[in-house]
Amino acid sequence: MLVAARALVVEGGADALTMRALAARAGVSVPTVYGLIGGREAVIAAMLERGGDEFGRALVTADDDPIACIHAALDVYAAGLEANQDVVRALMGPEVAWMDAPGAARHRLRAFCTDALRDAQRPGILDRVCPAEELGAHLDALVLGAVTRWAGHPSGVDALTARLHHGAAMLLDRKSTRLNSSHIPLSR
């Protein structure tokens, strides 16, 4: 059913994802869709969680530096967005951007980065003034803003990736992660 949902979204945008259309595409009845997944929001959440599973499988960091791990996770996240940009761009309306799908890639990215920030604060790699959870929330907001901008404009993933890394470097404010903005192409 999620494959059918994805096809509907790719072909006709988020508005094309109705329970009747999904049932017809999947070859099941509407009550079956509701019984197995739920309503439209549950279908979208399941699609987001499938993306989160893909992110989790792709996220392999062997670096001992927690800040480097955050940057590696941002690369994996951006690659996932690029691979699924047709669906992401179609679903990136305000209704979906703030949807609570705990297994979605963005939520997994936030949890991973918050853990890495906590790891960076323990040995003093990162200043302890701001709690890791707060930094993770700020990083999440930065990611959501960058993705929303990217989804609404016909820009490539390179600009998005640069924006993510630049924002993370500014947020983390560590000498080894500070970037000179003149070296990062932030144009659309």
Side-chain angles (χ1 to χ4, degrees):
M1 276 191 265
L2 294 180
V3 171
R6 178 185 172 92
L8 286 169
V9 169
V10 169
E11 292 167 8
D15 291 340
L17 182 59
T18 66
M19 296 301 93
R20 187 167 282 145
L22 177 56
R25 176 65 67 99
V28 298
S29 68
V30 173
T32 299
V33 174
Y34 279 100
L36 293 175
I37 299 178
R40 184 174 188 271
E41 285 188 13
V43 171
I44 292 171
M47 291 172 66
L48 295 173
E49 290 194 9
R50 178 175 270 187
D53 292 343
E54 292 171 9
F55 171 75
R57 284 190 295 276
L59 185 60
V60 178
T61 56
D63 201 310
D64 288 338
D65 180 356
I67 304 303
C69 288
I70 289 171
H71 285 282
L74 291 173
D75 286 335
V76 170
Y77 184 74
L81 290 174
E82 181 177 37
N84 296 291
Q85 65 181 300
D86 48 357
V87 174
V88 173
R89 289 180 194 271
L91 290 178
M92 204 52 209
E95 162 193 347
V96 175
W98 294 102
M99 182 176 277
D100 188 22
R106 194 183 110 238
H107 293 287
R108 291 184 187 197
L109 175 67
R110 179 180 178 167
F112 176 87
C113 290
T114 300
D115 288 344
L117 290 163
R118 208 174 287 112
D119 291 345
Q121 287 180 332
R122 284 188 195 113
I125 295 170
L126 194 61
D127 193 353
R128 294 176 191 244
V129 172
C130 188
E133 292 74 16
E134 183 83 16
L135 287 172
H138 287 297
L139 186 57
D140 181 56
L142 180 146
V143 167
L144 181 59
V147 172
T148 301
R149 180 177 178 170
W150 169 80
H153 295 87
S155 61
V157 77
D158 291 339
L160 169 65
T161 304
R163 195 168 268 108
L164 292 174
H165 286 292
H166 183 73
M170 290 174 53
L171 179 68
L172 301 176
D173 195 33
R174 191 181 81 165
K175 286 184 180 181
S176 64
T177 62
R178 285 186 192 202
L179 301 175
N180 181 336
S181 62
S182 66
H183 294 108
I184 299 175
L186 293 179
S187 64
R188 289 187 231 176

